[in-house]
Amino acid sequence: MKNNSKTLKVWAWIFIVLTIITPLFGIGSIICSLKYKKYDEKKGAKLFNIAIMVTAIVFVLNIISII
């Protein structure tokens, strides 16, 4: 039983770290879409809008999960 509790503790820490890191992926996608916008204005604008929406949704869900 002790081994199982250690595994659960490790998984809990993994999920805590992933919860903190998740918004950084959103910021990265925004930066990449802005850089892509230089090559293709129309597709870059769509990617930028999608990146903003997804980042905002994930950020709100992240705050809700912390509370």
Side-chain angles (χ1 to χ4, degrees):
M1 194 72 169
K2 210 171 198 182
N3 189 19
N4 192 19
S5 67
K6 185 175 181 179
T7 304
L8 288 173
K9 180 181 168 186
V10 169
W11 278 108
W13 275 108
I14 289 171
F15 286 126
I16 288 169
V17 169
L18 288 176
T19 302
I20 294 169
I21 292 175
T22 303
L24 296 177
F25 288 113
I27 293 168
S29 67
I30 291 170
I31 292 170
C32 288
S33 65
L34 283 174
K35 290 187 179 205
Y36 183 74
K37 200 173 180 182
K38 293 177 185 176
Y39 299 104
D40 189 348
E41 185 72 29
K42 190 174 180 182
K43 289 182 182 178
K46 284 182 183 179
L47 280 176
F48 180 71
N49 288 337
I50 293 169
I52 291 286
M53 285 187 280
V54 171
T55 302
I57 291 168
V58 169
F59 183 72
V60 168
L61 291 175
N62 194 12
I63 297 228
I64 289 171
S65 70
I66 292 173
I67 297 174

